[in-house]
C-alpha cells in the first residue's frame, strides 16, 4: 500500500488539490481528457489512507463497467481487500440493495422483482390492450418513455394526473389517456411486488423522505459520497444525493458541464450548474490540462464551447505537441463524403501505420451509417458499428426488405413468416402454425397455402379466412406492379400500403425517431440506386429485383467478422468516454447537426454544441470535419448549408482542403466556410417541419420530424444545364457533377439520347454517364 505522499506525488497540481480537499462539498469540473477517473480513484485511496473506513465511503457511477474499473484501480493503490469493502456501484445497484433491506417500510416484500425495459413494455402493452386503446397510437415504448421521464422528476401517477401541462401535452400528442395507463401500471407493479428501474430511484427517495430514521441511518453510514459524471444526473438522483449529504455535506461530485449531452434520457445540466447554490460552501476545482489531444484540437474545442452562454468557465489546455489544424473536407454529396473519409483513412493508414481501430467515424444519427458502410465495403476497409448494429441489420430495415423479398419471390418462407402479421393484421401465431404445418406436410410453399387455405382443410373460421384473403390481395397488388415500377416507386408504394410507414411514424419517443430516420435513409438509398443506374445508362436495371441484388451484398456481414482491427462507426452519443488517434465528425450540415429537434431552442442548441464539443475532443492527433452539399431525403435531392457550428470554431484552427476552384457553396470570395457564416449565423432551415405539441413538461420535446413519403416529380428528366452542356463536352473538359463532384472527361461516345461520357472524378473514381440523365455543368478545361 502506497503512502499518502506517494499517492499525491503522482498527480499534477490541480489533481492533487482536488484529491486533498475533504472538508466539505466539492465540485470538480474535469475538462475532456484531464484525468477525471484518476482523481476519483486517488481521492478514494487518499480517504482510506487518511483513516476513513471503506464501508463509510459511497461512490456512485453510471455504468457497472465504470464501477468495476474504478474499484480495480483503487485496489491497485490500497489493496484489493480494502477496495472490496467499498460501497461502490451504479445508482440503481446501490439503491436496490438498500431497498432490499428496507422494503417493508414502503410496502414491498424482500423478494421484489426488478422489471427491465422489456418487462415494463410488456406490461404496458397488456394494459393498453385491456383498456381498449389502439397500440399503434399508444405505443408501449412511447408511453414507457413518458412515464419514465415523469418518474425521473419524482412525479408519480397521482401527481401526473393532476398536472395540467402533462395532460395538455399528451392530449396534443394524441395520447391523452397516458395518465390512466400510468395509474394502472403503478398499481399492477405493486400487485406484482415489482419495481422498474425508475422505481429504484423513486422508492429510495420516498423511503428517505417518509422515514427520517432510515435516512439518518444511511446518512451516518455514508460519511463521504462521491458521484461520477454528475452532469448526467437527473432530478431524482440529485435529490437522493442531497438527502444523504445534507448534514455532513461531505460530498464530491465530478463532471464536465461541457459534456452534458443526455437530456433526452432525463439528465439535467442544472444539477451541475447550480451545485454551488445547493451547497453554498462548495469549493470549486478545475482540471484543465488535457492529456489526450494535441494543442490545436483542444484550442478548437475551446473556441467552439465558449459560444455557450450557460456554462462553468474553464480554460482547457494541452502540453502535447501543437499538431495539425482541424481538417475541413467539403463534399458535393453524402456519397462523395463517404469516399473522402475512406480516402483519408487509407492515406493515414499507409502513412502512419497502426491499426484500423485507430479511426472513428462519428455521426449525429444512426441512419447516417449507411453510406459509410457501403463505401467501406466497396473499399475493403474493415469496420464495426459500435454500440449498435449495421444499417441493413436493423429491424425496420429487415422488415422492409422482407416485404420486397416476398414480392420478388412469394415462396420465400422466412421472409413471408416475418411479414405475414407485420404490421399487426390479426393473423395470430395459431393461424401461422397451421399454415406452416400444412405446407410442410404437403411439400408446398407457405405462400401456396396462404393463397388457397380451403384446399388444405385447415378449418379456419370466416374471420381468419378474411384476414388471409386481405393479405393475399395486398401482396398480389404489389406483385402486379413489379414489371411496371422502378425500385423506388414500388418500394415506396409497398412501405405506404403495407402500413409500415404508419407504424413507424406513430411514435414520438427517441427510439421511434431513430426508426423514422432509418426509414428515410432506406428510401433515400433506393432513390439514389435508381437515379445512379439511370445516369450510368442502365435503364433496365432499376427494378426491385436489381435493388434486392444490391442489398444482399450489404446484408452479408462475413467481411466484418474476419478482421480484428476495424474502423469504428458510431453516433457521437455512443462515443462519449472513448478516444481515438483519428476522428471524423461527419454530416456537419443544417438539418442534421444541429438536429432540427433542437434548432429553435436556445437550451437545445447549447446541448447540440456540447455534443459537437464531445465529438472533437475524442480525437488525439487528427480531427476531420466533413459536410455535404446534397443528400437524398424524402425521395428527392435536398440541398443544405454547412452547420452553423462551423462558424463557432476559430477559423485560424481549421484548414480547408486546398481552397480549390470549386464554385458556389464550397467557396465564396476565397473565404473559409466558417467565416462566411459570421454574416449569417442562422442559416435557413430547409428540412420539412410539422406543427409541434407544447413543450414536454417532463423532458425535451420529441418532435415528429419526418413526414410520410410523398410522390415527387419525375427526377429522371434531364436538367437544362446538362442538356446544353453535353454539346460542348470533349476530352479534357472539367465538369461539376451534382453528386460526384469535380471530374475530368476522358472520352465521349454515342450520339443523341445515347451519348455517354466517361469521367474521372476526384474522389469517386471513373464513372460512365448517360448525358440525357446526367446532372452537371461544365466549369472549364
Amino acid at each position: 500500500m502506497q503512502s499518502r505522499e506517494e499517492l499525491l506525488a503522482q498527480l499534477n497540481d490541480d489533481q492533487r488539490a482536488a484529491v486533498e480537499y475533504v472538508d466539505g462539498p466539492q465540485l470538480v469540473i474535469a475538462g475532456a481528457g484531464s484525468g477525471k477517473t484518476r482523481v476519483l480513484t486517488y481521492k478514494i485511496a487518499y480517504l482510506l489512507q487518511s483513516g476513513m473506513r471503506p464501508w463509510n465511503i459511497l461512490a456512485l457511477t453510471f455504468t457497472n463497467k465504470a464501477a468495476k474499473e474504478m474499484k480495480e484501480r483503487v485496489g491497485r493503490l490500497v489493496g484489493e481487500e480494502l477496495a472490496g469493502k467499498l460501497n461502490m456501484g451504479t445508482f440503481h445497484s446501490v439503491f436496490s440493495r438498500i431497498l432490499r433491506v428496507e422494503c417493508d417500510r414502503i410496502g414491498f416484500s424482500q423478494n421484489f422483482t426488478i422489471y427491465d425495459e422489456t418487462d415494463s413494455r410488456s406490461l404496458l402493452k397488456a394494459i393498453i390492450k385491456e383498456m381498449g386503446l389502439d397500440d399503434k397510437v399508444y405505443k408501449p415504448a412511447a408511453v414507457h418513455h413518458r412515464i419514465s421521464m415523469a418518474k425521473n422528476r419524482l412525479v408519480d401517477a397521482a401527481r401526473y394526473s393532476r398536472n395540467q401541462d402533462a395532460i395538455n401535452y399528451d392530449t396534443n400528442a394524441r395520447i391523452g389517456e397516458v395518465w390512466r395507463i400510468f395509474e394502472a401500471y403503478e398499481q399492477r407493479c405493486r400487485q406484482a411486488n415489482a419495481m422498474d428501474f425508475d422505481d429504484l430511484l423513486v422508492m429510495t427517495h420516498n423511503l428517505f423522505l417518509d422515514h427520517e430514521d432510515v435516512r439518518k441511518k444511511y446518512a451516518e453510514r455514508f460519511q463521504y459520497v462521491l458521484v461520477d459524471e454528475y452532469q448526467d444526473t437527473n432530478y431524482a438522483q440529485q435529490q437522493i444525493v442531497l438527502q444523504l449529504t445534507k448534514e455532513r455535506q461531505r460530498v464530491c461530485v465530478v463532471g464536465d458541464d461541457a459534456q452534458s449531452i443526455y437530456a433526452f434520457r432525463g439528465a439535467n445540466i442544472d444539477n451541475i450548474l447550480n451545485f454551488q447554490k445547493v451547497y453554498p460552501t462548495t469549493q470549486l476545482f478545475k482540471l484543465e490540462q488535457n492529456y489526450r489531444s494535441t494543442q490545436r484540437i483542444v484550442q478548437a474545442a475551446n473556441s467552439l464551447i465558449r459560444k455557450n452562454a450557460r456554462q462553468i468557465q474553464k480554460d482547457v489546455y494541452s502540453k502535447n505537441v501543437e499538431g495539425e489544424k482541424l481538417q475541413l473536407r467539403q463534399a458535393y454529396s453524402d456519397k462523395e463524403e463517404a469516399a473522402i473519409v475512406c480516402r483519408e483513412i487509407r492515406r493515414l493508414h499507409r502513412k502512419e501505420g497502426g491499426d484500423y481501430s485507430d479511426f472513428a467515424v462519428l455521426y449525429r444519427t444512426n441512419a447516417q451509417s449507411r453510406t459509410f458502410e457501403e463505401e467501406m465495403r466497396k473499399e475493403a476497409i474493415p469496420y464495426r458499428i459500435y454500440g449498435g448494429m449495421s444499417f441493413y441489420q436493423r429491424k425496420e430495415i429487415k422488415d422492409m426488405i422482407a416485404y420486397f423479398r416476398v414480392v420478388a419471390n412469394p415462396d420465400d418462407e422466412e421472409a413471408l413468416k416475418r411479414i405475414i402479421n407485420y404490421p399487426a393484421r390479426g393473423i395470430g401465431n395459431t393461424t401461422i402454425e397451421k399454415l406452416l404445418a400444412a405446407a410442410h406436410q404437403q411439400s408446398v410453399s407457405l405462400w401456396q397455402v396462404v393463397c388457397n387455405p380451403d384446399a388444405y382443410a385447415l378449418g379456419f373460421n370466416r374471420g381468419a379466412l378474411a384476414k388471409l384473403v386481405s393479405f393475399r390481395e395486398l401482396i398480389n397488388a404489389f406483385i402486379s406492379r413489379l414489371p411496371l415500377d422502378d425500385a423506388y416507386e414500388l418500394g415506396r408504394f409497398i412501405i405506404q400500403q403495407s402500413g409500415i410507414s404508419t407504424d413507424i411514424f406513430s411514435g414520438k419517443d427517441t427510439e421511434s425517431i431513430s426508426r423514422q430516420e432509418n426509414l428515410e435513409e432506406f428510401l433515400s438509398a433506393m432513390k439514389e440506386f435508381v437515379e445512379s443506374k439511370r445516369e450510368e445508362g442502365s435503364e433496365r436495371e432499376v427494378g426491385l429485383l436489381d435493388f434486392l441484388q444490391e442489398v444482399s451484398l450489404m446484408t452479408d456481414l462475413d467481411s466484418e467478422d474476419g478482421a480484428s482491427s476495424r474502423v469504428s462507426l458510431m453516433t457521437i452519443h455512443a462515443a462519449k468516454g472513448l478516444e481515438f488517434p483519428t476522428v471524423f465528425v461527419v454530416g456537419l450540415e443544417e438539418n442534421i447537426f444541429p438536429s432540427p429537434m433542437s434548432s429553435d431552442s436556445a437550451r437545445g442548441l447549447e446541448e447540440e454544441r456540447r455534443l459537437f464539443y464531445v465529438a472533437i475532443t475524442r480525437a488525439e492527433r487528427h480531427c476531420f470535419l466533413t459536410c455535404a452539399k446534397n443528400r437524398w431525403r424524402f425521395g428527392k435531392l435536398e440541398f443544405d448549408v454547412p452547420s452553423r457550428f462551423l462558424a463557432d470554431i476559430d477559423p485560424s484552427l481549421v484548414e480547408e482542403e486546398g481552397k480549390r476552384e470549386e464554385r458556389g457553396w464550397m467557396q465564396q470570395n476565397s473565404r473559409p466556410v466558417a467565416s462566411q457564416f459570421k454574416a449569417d449565423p442562422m442559416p435557413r432551415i430547409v428540412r420539412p417541419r410539422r406543427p409541434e405539441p407544447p413543450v414536454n413538461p417532463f423532458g425535451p420535446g420529441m418532435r415528429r420530424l419526418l413526414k410520410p413519403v410523398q410522390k415527387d416529380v419525375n427526377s429522371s428528366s434531364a436538367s437544362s444545364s446538362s442538356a446544353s452542356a453535353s454539346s460542348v463536352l470533349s476530352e479534357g473538359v472539367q465538369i461539376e457533377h451534382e453528386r460526384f463532384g469535380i471530374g475530368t472527361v476522358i472520352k465521349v461516345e454515342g450520339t443523341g439520347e445515347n451519348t455517354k461520357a466517361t469521367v474521372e472524378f476526384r474522389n469517386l473514381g471513373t464513372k460512365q454517364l448517360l448525358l440525357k440523365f446526367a446532372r452537371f455543368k461544365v466549369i472549364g478545361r
Side-chain angles (χ1 to χ4, degrees):
M1 180 185 295
Q2 300 179 36
S3 68
R4 285 198 300 173
E5 290 69 27
E6 289 172 327
L7 283 173
L8 296 174
Q10 299 171 49
L11 305 171
N12 68 29
D13 291 344
D14 292 337
Q15 292 171 339
R16 178 171 179 150
V19 166
E20 286 185 296
Y21 182 76
V22 295
D23 297 325
Q26 176 183 19
L27 172 60
V28 181
I29 297 298
S34 63
K36 170 181 66 69
T37 304
R38 185 177 183 84
V39 165
L40 275 170
T41 54
Y42 274 70
K43 190 173 189 72
I44 293 169
Y46 181 81
L47 289 168
L48 293 170
Q49 290 285 42
S50 301
M52 184 166 283
R53 292 171 295 185
W55 49 86
N56 292 142
I57 297 173
L58 172 64
L60 297 168
T61 67
F62 272 85
T63 65
N64 290 314
K65 179 183 176 184
K68 181 181 178 183
E69 178 187 347
M70 201 179 299
K71 185 168 285 192
E72 288 174 349
R73 290 174 69 166
V74 172
R76 289 196 290 270
L77 296 174
V78 301
E80 291 182 7
E81 183 178 355
L82 204 57
K85 297 175 182 178
L86 290 164
N87 288 293
M88 183 179 291
T90 65
F91 282 88
H92 294 90
S93 65
V94 169
F95 297 154
S96 66
R97 290 197 293 271
I98 291 174
L99 291 172
R100 291 284 180 201
V101 175
E102 311 292 346
C103 55
D104 60 310
R105 299 291 196 105
I106 54 173
F108 283 81
S109 62
Q110 196 171 31
N111 65 336
F112 68 81
T113 301
I114 298 175
Y115 281 175
D116 62 15
E117 190 174 84
T118 302
D119 297 324
S120 295
R121 292 184 180 183
S122 176
L123 175 55
L124 286 167
K125 184 176 181 179
I127 291 169
I128 290 164
K129 183 177 180 180
E130 289 165 13
M131 288 185 171
L133 299 172
D134 186 351
D135 62 4
K136 293 183 178 64
V137 176
Y138 290 86
K139 281 183 166 293
V143 174
H144 184 233
H145 176 75
R146 290 290 291 148
I147 293 173
S148 178
M149 294 298 281
K151 288 184 177 182
N152 285 341
R153 286 157 181 79
L154 300 175
V155 175
D156 61 13
R159 285 182 60 198
Y160 191 98
S161 66
R162 296 192 302 269
N163 187 311
Q164 198 57 49
D165 288 337
I167 301 302
N168 289 342
Y169 177 88
D170 292 340
T171 300
N172 280 281
R174 296 185 302 144
I175 49 173
E177 298 297 309
V178 165
W179 67 273
R180 286 206 303 127
I181 300 171
F182 193 173
E183 287 183 340
Y185 176 74
E186 192 175 88
Q187 182 183 16
R188 293 277 280 274
C189 283
R190 222 170 235 289
Q191 288 173 352
N193 191 37
M195 299 184 199
D196 64 21
F197 273 20
D198 298 311
D199 287 331
L200 298 176
L201 301 179
V202 174
M203 296 298 178
T204 301
H205 174 270
N206 293 345
L207 171 70
F208 292 161
L209 184 67
D210 298 336
H211 303 278
E212 181 65 7
D213 59 323
V214 177
R215 186 198 67 79
K216 283 186 174 179
K217 178 173 78 171
Y218 288 99
E220 177 66 26
R221 177 177 301 176
F222 302 136
Q223 296 178 14
Y224 206 101
V225 177
L226 303 98
V227 185
D228 189 17
E229 303 285 12
Y230 194 69
Q231 77 280 349
D232 294 335
T233 55
N234 59 38
Y235 179 71
Q237 290 162 331
Q238 184 261 350
Q239 285 295 299
I240 296 170
V241 171
L242 182 59
Q243 287 174 320
L244 290 172
T245 60
K246 62 183 180 181
E247 284 93 7
R248 280 193 174 83
Q249 300 216 347
R250 298 184 78 186
V251 55
C252 171
V253 302
V254 182
D256 183 7
D257 57 294
Q259 297 186 66
S260 178
I261 59 173
Y262 294 119
F264 68 94
R265 294 181 188 169
N268 188 352
I269 191 174
D270 294 337
N271 291 349
I272 194 167
L273 294 180
N274 296 334
F275 186 83
Q276 292 164 279
K277 294 179 181 177
V278 176
Y279 296 90
T281 60
T282 294
Q283 293 293 308
L284 175 65
F285 297 82
K286 297 179 182 179
L287 307 181
E288 297 176 306
Q289 182 175 353
N290 180 300
Y291 289 91
R292 175 188 302 153
S293 308
T294 62
Q295 293 178 28
R296 279 175 163 162
I297 290 174
V298 170
Q299 290 165 4
N302 285 346
S303 69
L304 168 75
I305 204 63
R306 284 194 194 103
K307 301 301 188 297
N308 271 10
R310 300 179 74 246
Q311 63 176 299
I312 298 171
Q313 295 296 328
K314 59 184 175 296
D315 186 19
V316 181
Y317 65 93
S318 171
K319 291 184 178 179
N320 296 337
V321 298
E322 183 179 47
E324 65 182 28
K325 297 180 180 181
L326 274 65
Q327 301 294 305
L328 177 61
R329 298 288 184 266
Q330 304 173 77
Y332 277 85
S333 64
D334 50 344
K335 188 178 184 70
E336 189 185 31
E337 179 186 41
I340 288 171
V341 168
C342 289
R343 181 195 69 190
E344 293 294 347
I345 290 173
R346 288 276 194 216
R347 180 181 67 81
L348 285 170
H349 190 256
R350 287 193 301 268
K351 179 182 176 182
E352 299 185 0
D355 298 322
Y356 280 116
S357 56
D358 292 340
F359 300 89
V361 179
L362 309 183
Y363 34 76
R364 180 64 184 81
T365 65
N366 275 306
Q368 290 171 260
S369 74
R370 179 187 66 85
T371 52
F372 296 96
E373 289 187 67
E374 291 179 1
E375 189 66 22
M376 286 182 184
R377 287 173 180 273
K378 175 184 169 186
E379 294 295 321
I381 295 175
Y383 72 89
R384 64 168 179 158
I385 305 292
Y386 184 94
M389 61 179 65
S390 174
F391 181 81
Y392 289 100
Q393 293 299 311
R394 294 166 193 163
K395 178 188 180 301
E396 56 275 14
I397 305 302
K398 294 185 78 169
D399 289 338
M400 288 184 276
I401 290 173
Y403 265 99
F404 296 173
R405 284 169 51 186
V406 169
V407 172
N409 171 23
D411 294 326
D412 185 335
E413 181 177 303
E414 291 305 308
L416 186 56
K417 284 192 298 184
R418 187 179 185 97
I419 59 111
I420 192 170
N421 197 42
Y422 175 76
R425 50 176 60 90
I427 302 176
N429 289 334
T430 302
T431 299
I432 295 170
E433 287 169 5
K434 287 182 178 180
L435 293 168
L436 283 167
H440 298 159
Q441 289 169 5
Q442 300 297 322
S443 298
V444 296
S445 73
L446 175 60
W447 175 247
Q448 287 178 267
V449 181
V450 169
C451 286
N452 192 10
D454 287 338
Y456 299 92
L458 296 177
F460 291 141
N461 60 35
R462 186 176 300 174
L465 285 172
K467 290 166 185 173
L468 289 173
V469 168
S470 178
F471 174 69
R472 182 190 69 205
E473 291 176 349
L474 179 72
I475 299 300
N476 280 330
F478 297 155
I479 293 171
S480 69
R481 296 183 61 153
L482 197 58
L484 306 175
D485 295 341
D486 64 39
Y488 171 70
E489 290 170 343
L490 180 53
R492 183 179 59 181
F493 182 75
I494 291 170
I495 289 167
Q496 289 177 330
Q497 298 302 313
S498 65
I500 289 179
S501 60
T502 301
D503 177 67
I504 289 178
F505 276 90
S506 62
K508 297 174 179 64
D509 57 296
T510 306
E511 184 179 315
S512 295
I513 294 293
S514 180
R515 294 174 68 211
Q516 292 162 15
E517 289 168 342
N518 288 335
L519 169 58
E520 173 192 327
E521 185 64 25
F522 185 69
L523 285 164
S524 297
M526 297 188 75
K527 186 66 171 179
E528 182 180 19
F529 170 80
V530 170
E531 294 299 313
S532 295
K533 288 294 185 183
R534 282 180 174 155
E535 197 167 25
E536 292 167 15
S538 304
E539 291 187 68
R540 293 193 182 93
E541 297 179 10
V542 293
L544 194 64
L545 290 171
D546 304 296
F547 180 73
L548 281 173
Q549 173 67 21
E550 188 97 351
V551 166
S552 67
L553 302 176
M554 298 298 164
T555 56
D556 178 8
L557 297 180
D558 291 344
S559 58
E560 285 191 49
D561 298 335
S564 57
S565 174
R566 293 179 274 177
V567 176
S568 293
L569 274 60
M570 68 185 83
T571 63
I572 303 169
H573 284 102
K576 187 171 178 291
L578 304 177
E579 56 190 49
F580 302 89
T582 302
V583 166
F584 296 86
V585 189
V586 301
L588 283 166
E589 301 135 45
E590 289 297 317
N591 303 314
I592 295 178
F593 203 176
S595 164
M597 288 188 289
S598 307
S599 59
D600 58 358
S601 155
R603 192 180 182 98
L605 270 176
E606 291 208 342
E607 176 150 331
E608 289 290 294
R609 190 177 284 111
R610 293 194 295 270
L611 191 60
F612 190 18
Y613 175 85
V614 166
I616 292 173
T617 55
R618 300 310 93 197
E620 296 172 358
R621 298 198 303 268
H622 309 288
C623 183
F624 290 83
L625 312 176
T626 69
C627 51
K629 178 181 179 181
N630 61 66
R631 295 175 189 269
W632 286 107
R633 286 201 195 102
F634 313 113
K636 63 181 180 181
L637 208 56
E638 288 200 347
F639 294 82
D640 280 330
V641 290
S643 169
R644 69 191 75 184
F645 292 152
L646 290 172
D648 294 338
I649 302 174
D650 183 343
S652 70
L653 298 169
V654 180
E655 182 177 274
E656 294 181 62
E657 188 177 28
K659 285 198 173 83
R660 301 174 304 192
E661 68 274 16
E662 286 90 330
R663 308 261 199 292
W665 80 291
M666 295 184 70
Q667 185 167 323
Q668 295 177 7
N669 303 321
S670 298
R671 293 181 298 162
V673 167
S675 65
Q676 295 170 29
F677 277 75
K678 301 228 170 150
D680 182 16
M682 296 288 286
R684 181 175 61 89
I685 304 298
V686 297
R687 191 167 182 171
R689 290 178 175 262
R690 286 178 168 269
E692 297 168 13
V695 173
N696 184 341
F698 300 117
M702 287 289 106
R703 301 172 193 161
R704 186 171 178 177
L705 303 175
L706 307 177
K707 62 180 181 180
V709 182
Q710 298 175 348
K711 184 78 174 176
D712 65 316
V713 296
N714 185 0
S715 57
S716 65
S717 60
S719 67
S720 58
S721 60
S722 298
S724 59
S726 63
S727 62
V728 296
L729 282 191
S730 61
E731 185 178 339
V733 168
Q734 266 200 333
I735 67 169
E736 182 184 77
H737 190 275
E738 197 173 69
R739 295 279 291 161
F740 305 147
I742 300 296
T744 302
V745 177
I746 298 173
K747 67 177 179 179
V748 178
E749 54 189 333
T751 58
E753 290 195 347
N754 296 319
T755 305
K756 295 182 179 180
T758 303
V759 184
E760 178 69 32
F761 290 98
R762 287 182 178 176
N763 294 306
L764 291 170
T766 302
K767 293 189 176 293
Q768 190 175 67
L769 305 180
L770 185 64
L771 296 188
K772 73 172 182 176
F773 290 125
R775 294 181 175 90
F776 67 90
K777 63 181 176 181
V778 174
I779 61 173
R781 284 187 175 274

